[in-house]
Amino acid sequence: MPILAVIGDGQLARMMHTEAIELGLKPRVLASSADASAAQVFGDVVIGDYTVLDDVKRVCSGAAAATFDHEHVPNEFLNELIASGVSVQPQPQALIYAQDKLEQRRKMAEIGAPVPEFAAIESVEDAETFFDSVEGAMCLKATRGGYDGHGVWFPKSREGAGELVDKLLADGTPLYAERKIDFDRELSAMVARTPSGEIRAWPVVESRQRDGICVEAIAPAPNMAPEMATYCQELAMNVAEELGVTGVLAVELFADGDEVIVNELAMRPHNTGHWTQNGCVTSQFEQHLRAVLDWPLGSVEMTAPFTVMVNTLGGETEPTQPMEERVAEVMRRYPEAKVHLYGKGYRPGRKMGHVNVAGHDLDTVLETAKAAAEIIVKGTGA
């Protein structure tokens, strides 16, 4: 069976491994250390750095395909791999739109996807002009490297925008700005696409955020008109086809009533797709592997009317109760809950794992998932 190279050692690679071994693949990971989340479970681990070309080449040697758990591998490395005959999925000409948010905005506008007003910010004057043009509703973003609320700023005044931009540009941070969007909720439309063009879309989910971090994902998004759900799925499929994305694509959306705006793209399995592990015939991780190997895609039918994913984020203090006991307590109280842990050391706010619960009543499913996650985060003595 084929060797599959995964570049990146986080929880997404870790969960790809589970599906890879079920499919009989030979998964290999490029990890920064032996105790990284993915390196703990892979049988074939290459210790190295994704910013070092020789390390990237080593992990891809003999692989049928190479894929990623993040979008940050230098594209010049990927072009060298492709030139040497490695099947890199997704390819760099698509990845650039996940790596560079300004390029992403430009491409979305070009293909007619709904985006807010935006502009490159290369000077204090650019910042002040844009602040005026949107009447202060300004969101400033780093074009590269931001995640989970990092690399995003909301200046309160024209002068504040100028001062912030002056400092960030001096620090070497490339920037762009967009109009701050008022929205009712956040949605995620996820699809998978093969190199030969087969494409499947999962049900659209509602993503609930706190401090820029996803805390819950509800599938399907509650109270959504079928026409809007179809529109969001078709939008995501169109983005995948226009950009040539292979593997899993998440299109994060801001929704205001029946109107949606593209927020960001992720070209890999995504936090808002974790529910598929226990609520869908084919999980996002299995589908991603099928897609990058150009295998037939699996069914995206839900296995229950509702599935909720709740992230277990590290609290202010680490519980004294051992994790093993917390997991066992969840099993005792909520046997329907599925716990997924990432093998990560404790840190406040860190994604330590998630809990999935599927069922027929949304209120019950949501309450159960939250309660189970609370035990994992705080222990039973809280």
Side-chain angles (χ1 to χ4, degrees):
M1 292 292 283
I3 295 171
L4 178 76
V6 181
I7 302 174
D9 58 14
Q11 65 263 26
L12 301 179
R14 181 185 178 104
M15 289 182 277
M16 285 185 216
H17 175 269
T18 302
E19 300 291 2
I21 59 174
E22 290 292 327
L23 292 172
L25 298 171
K26 297 178 180 179
R28 179 191 298 153
V29 68
L30 178 63
S32 58
S33 66
D35 63 352
S37 178
Q40 295 172 23
V41 297
F42 272 73
D44 188 353
V45 180
V46 174
I47 302 298
D49 187 332
Y50 68 84
T51 65
V52 176
L53 178 58
D54 285 346
D55 291 345
V56 173
K57 286 182 173 179
R58 278 195 298 134
V59 77
C60 294
S61 177
T67 192
F68 317 93
D69 93 333
H70 60 71
E71 296 99 342
H72 308 308
V73 181
N75 275 352
E76 57 267 29
F77 292 6
L78 304 182
N79 285 322
E80 284 206 34
L81 291 175
I82 292 168
S84 68
V86 177
S87 174
V88 174
Q89 307 295 341
Q91 298 208 329
Q93 60 265 34
L95 277 170
I96 185 62
Y97 301 115
Q99 295 166 341
D100 189 306
K101 294 181 177 65
L102 178 57
E103 290 301 316
Q104 180 189 124
R105 280 289 184 252
R106 288 169 172 159
K107 186 64 174 180
M108 292 297 96
E110 178 187 318
I111 67 173
V115 294
E117 298 169 55
F118 68 93
I121 302 297
E122 298 175 350
S123 66
V124 170
E125 182 180 4
D126 287 344
E128 293 174 343
T129 299
F130 189 83
F131 189 92
D132 291 342
S133 72
V134 295
E135 300 177 322
M138 179 178 181
C139 175
L140 183 68
K141 292 186 177 183
T143 62
R144 287 177 175 261
Y147 69 98
D148 286 350
H150 298 285
V152 180
W153 303 269
F154 297 96
K156 301 296 186 184
S157 67
R158 188 177 192 271
E159 295 73 20
E163 291 171 4
L164 178 59
V165 164
D166 189 42
K167 179 182 183 303
L168 290 169
L169 291 177
D171 291 341
T173 304
L175 300 167
Y176 83 102
E178 60 187 35
R179 177 184 285 275
K180 182 181 177 181
I181 300 298
D182 292 324
F183 55 90
D184 297 326
R185 58 178 174 171
E186 296 186 53
L187 304 173
S188 178
M190 295 187 62
V191 301
R193 181 175 177 271
T194 68
S196 56
E198 185 183 3
I199 190 166
R200 295 281 179 93
W202 283 279
V204 179
V205 307
E206 179 176 334
S207 170
R208 296 181 177 177
Q209 312 278 320
R210 184 172 64 238
D211 299 327
I213 301 174
C214 175
V215 292
E216 299 164 10
I218 301 173
N223 305 313
M224 176 176 283
E227 297 80 11
M228 185 176 179
T230 299
Y231 171 77
C232 292
Q233 290 177 312
E234 290 178 348
L235 172 62
M237 288 190 285
N238 185 55
V239 170
E241 290 169 342
E242 289 283 351
L243 274 57
V245 179
T246 48
V248 167
L249 167 71
V251 180
E252 298 179 62
L253 301 164
F254 291 142
D256 184 12
D258 293 334
E259 301 295 322
V260 296
I261 292 286
V262 174
N263 177 22
E264 292 188 355
L265 308 179
M267 297 179 192
R268 51 173 169 73
H270 192 256
N271 198 176
T272 58
H274 292 348
W275 70 273
T276 60
Q277 291 171 299
N278 304 108
C280 197
V281 173
T282 309
S283 79
Q284 64 166 341
F285 299 102
E286 178 183 344
Q287 199 80 301
H288 184 72
L289 302 183
R290 290 184 182 218
V292 301
L293 290 165
D294 209 14
W295 289 0
L297 297 180
S299 167
V300 290
E301 292 297 314
M302 294 184 68
T303 55
F306 299 100
T307 301
V308 170
M309 184 281 303
V310 177
N311 277 326
T312 56
L313 305 174
E316 290 301 315
T317 58
E318 184 175 11
T320 56
Q321 185 180 27
M323 179 63 81
E324 179 182 3
E325 293 182 12
R326 285 178 264 161
V327 171
E329 187 62 25
V330 169
M331 292 175 173
R332 275 190 289 271
R333 294 192 194 184
Y334 308 109
E336 68 273 38
K338 298 295 185 180
V339 178
H340 300 264
L341 297 177
Y342 306 156
K344 292 188 171 184
Y346 168 83
R347 189 172 70 223
R350 189 179 203 182
K351 292 176 182 175
M352 312 293 290
H354 65 272
V355 174
N356 288 335
V357 178
H360 291 268
D361 179 74
L362 177 56
D363 290 340
T364 302
V365 168
L366 183 57
E367 181 181 340
T368 301
K370 286 182 175 181
E374 179 101 346
I375 292 172
I376 297 296
V377 171
K378 295 183 178 180
T380 56

